[in-house]
Amino acid sequence: MMAIQNHRAVWTLVLLLVGVMSTSAIVPFMGVYIVEGLGKDPWMISVYSAMTLVVALIVNRRFGEWIDQGRRVAPLVLVCIVAFVIANCSILIVQSYWVLVSVAFLCFGVASAALSTMYSFGRLYAEREGLNIVRYNSYLRSMTSLGWMISPALAFFVAGQFGHVAVFKVALGMAALWLILWYFVMPADFAVEPRVASGVATDAKPEAFNRPLWYAATACFCFSLAHILCSNALPLFYIQEVGLPTFAPGLSFSVKTFVEIIAILSAPVLIIRFGARHVLLGAAVLGLVAFWVRSSVSNLTTMIVGSALEGLYYGIFAGVGITFVQSFAAGRMARATSLYMNGLFLGGLIASSSMGLIAHFYDFRTAIQLASRGTIAAFAVLLATRRSDDVLQKVAS
């Protein structure tokens, strides 16, 4: 990161970090809040998660289309921040499950679009300023992982010391900093030229003519399905089924994301040496090993080993996946980025909905074991669609 001479590019990373810290304090904690804080059944996590992710899918796609059409990016990020603030305030005012499924889900869903919007802005800004795109993408992803390394651990620590409601107060405080940074960092007039008349296939149904892009996004969907199914089940698995202390889920997230950051920053080198598709195939194999260890955890030591393995596999995917999908953008970068994020969100939607039901009828360990099916599917998709890389070779030539 020290190699970046562009000050706005550096502050953009800081802005992204604070935004991720704000949202990641809530996302992994919400399941514990619903079950232990509000006393609800695990299947009710699925209802809330499904509703939130449906909103995220819709808003994420719309924002991506607007960016490609030349809309200014800064107001879109502001909408996400305001929505996040409203969601936290509603929970602080009334601690009720019905607040979650009537107000908070909508606002948290809108706030989720901030990540894709910032990824699109970062990529487009890097293009405009002549930065190394692959490396800057890895910096963007590492900021995401760094936020996840810090905030979930902080959230579970705060919950253990001060109660569940205190977590939302901390998130609200971080959102205030997020808003301040947005005001000073985001260029108010930043927008891209609409590419409708550039000769690129950007007409009414670009997805029908860009199968490689959809294949790449499908692989990312499978990775996300596996990752979210495991991540959502882990906190309650550790606390309720394994009997680990309350701080264990936060420690697990921190170890995972620490290794994840190292893997993400190694992504540019791995892409150059092995090619993006081969690296992702290797990540899928590592994922199988990680989930087996995760489901076998019985103490803090094996938990840390499993966390490190998952951080390695997911960090490789995270560092390579976004660049892999963007490689097939065909001139619509924000659209490709939003499709990448929607693949992650859709995987999260299915995984979150499934996790609560699996835990209700079986247990949380079973949900973690089933997560390995996602990495198997990702491997199969990547292997079956390997001829799509001919598109990249033609573009490069």
Side-chain angles (χ1 to χ4, degrees):
M1 192 179 304
M2 297 301 293
I4 302 178
Q5 301 299 319
N6 187 302
H7 293 296
R8 190 184 295 277
V10 174
W11 279 106
T12 296
L13 297 176
V14 177
L15 174 64
L16 175 61
L17 172 62
V18 174
V20 172
M21 286 180 62
S22 301
T23 56
S24 65
I26 300 300
V27 175
F29 176 74
M30 192 60 77
V32 175
Y33 173 67
I34 291 173
V35 173
E36 296 193 344
L38 299 178
K40 303 301 180 181
D41 293 329
W43 66 266
M44 300 181 83
I45 302 173
S46 299
V47 175
Y48 162 79
S49 298
M51 295 172 68
T52 303
L53 287 169
V54 166
V55 174
L57 285 167
I58 296 171
V59 176
N60 198 49
R61 174 165 182 156
R62 177 59 61 188
F63 279 16
E65 291 174 348
W66 282 346
I67 292 172
D68 278 332
Q69 292 168 5
R71 296 280 187 96
R72 291 183 299 128
V73 180
L76 302 180
V77 178
L78 178 61
V79 168
C80 297
I81 299 173
V82 172
F84 185 77
V85 170
I86 294 173
N88 282 280
C89 288
S90 67
I91 294 173
L92 289 173
I93 293 171
V94 180
Q95 286 85 60
S96 167
Y97 180 77
W98 303 112
V99 170
L100 296 184
V101 295
S102 61
V103 178
F105 87 93
L106 180 63
C107 294
F108 279 136
V110 173
S112 297
L115 186 58
S116 175
T117 305
M118 286 300 299
Y119 281 169
S120 295
F121 169 70
R123 168 67 189 244
L124 294 168
Y125 185 79
E127 286 184 355
R128 181 172 294 186
E129 297 297 314
L131 305 178
N132 184 310
I133 293 172
V134 174
R135 187 167 296 279
Y136 194 67
N137 268 344
S138 73
Y139 291 152
L140 291 168
R141 286 300 285 114
S142 65
M143 290 300 101
T144 304
S145 295
L146 182 59
W148 276 86
M149 183 176 75
I150 297 171
S151 276
L154 176 63
F156 284 104
F157 172 78
V158 169
Q161 295 295 316
F162 306 104
H164 296 90
V165 176
V167 174
F168 300 100
K169 295 180 181 179
V170 171
L172 193 59
M174 288 190 288
L177 178 59
W178 189 9
L179 181 60
I180 293 171
L181 283 171
W182 169 87
Y183 179 80
F184 288 103
V185 173
M186 285 295 294
D189 58 348
F190 184 91
V192 296
E193 289 294 327
R195 305 185 183 187
V196 175
S198 64
V200 178
T202 58
D203 45 9
K205 296 183 178 180
E207 62 271 18
F209 303 100
N210 197 348
R211 291 181 182 178
L213 174 63
W214 284 87
Y215 292 152
T218 299
C220 293
F221 157 78
C222 295
F223 274 110
S224 176
L225 180 67
H227 178 247
I228 299 300
L229 183 57
C230 177
S231 296
N232 283 4
L234 280 175
L236 290 167
F237 169 63
Y238 288 152
I239 295 173
Q240 293 188 354
E241 295 180 13
V242 182
L244 297 180
T246 305
F247 69 81
L251 175 62
S252 174
F253 275 111
S254 295
V255 172
K256 169 188 172 289
T257 49
F258 175 76
V259 177
E260 189 176 305
I261 290 170
I262 297 174
I264 289 171
L265 293 176
S266 302
V269 176
L270 293 174
I271 292 174
I272 292 172
R273 183 164 184 178
F274 301 106
R277 188 176 298 272
H278 291 109
V279 174
L280 291 175
L281 286 168
V285 174
L286 280 173
L288 285 175
V289 178
F291 291 130
W292 177 79
V293 175
R294 283 290 212 186
S295 65
S296 304
V297 165
S298 58
N299 52 53
L300 286 174
T301 301
T302 53
M303 183 198 76
I304 291 173
V305 172
S307 301
L309 284 170
E310 189 182 2
L312 180 61
Y313 113 79
Y314 194 73
I316 293 173
F317 160 69
V320 177
I322 186 170
T323 300
F324 181 63
V325 173
Q326 288 176 344
S327 298
F328 301 103
R332 295 193 56 170
M333 194 57 60
R335 178 74 177 88
T337 304
S338 68
L339 186 60
Y340 162 79
M341 289 303 303
N342 273 357
L344 303 190
F345 286 143
L346 183 59
L349 171 62
I350 296 174
S352 299
S353 302
S354 302
M355 189 280 292
L357 296 174
I358 293 168
H360 181 74
F361 290 105
Y362 297 95
D363 54 26
F364 293 105
R365 186 190 301 273
T366 301
I368 297 170
Q369 292 171 338
L370 290 175
S372 62
R373 307 305 192 269
T375 55
I376 294 173
F379 186 94
V381 170
L382 288 165
L383 192 63
T385 62
R386 60 190 181 279
R387 293 185 182 277
S388 298
D389 290 345
D390 292 342
V391 174
L392 298 183
Q393 294 173 359
K394 291 178 182 178
V395 172
S397 62

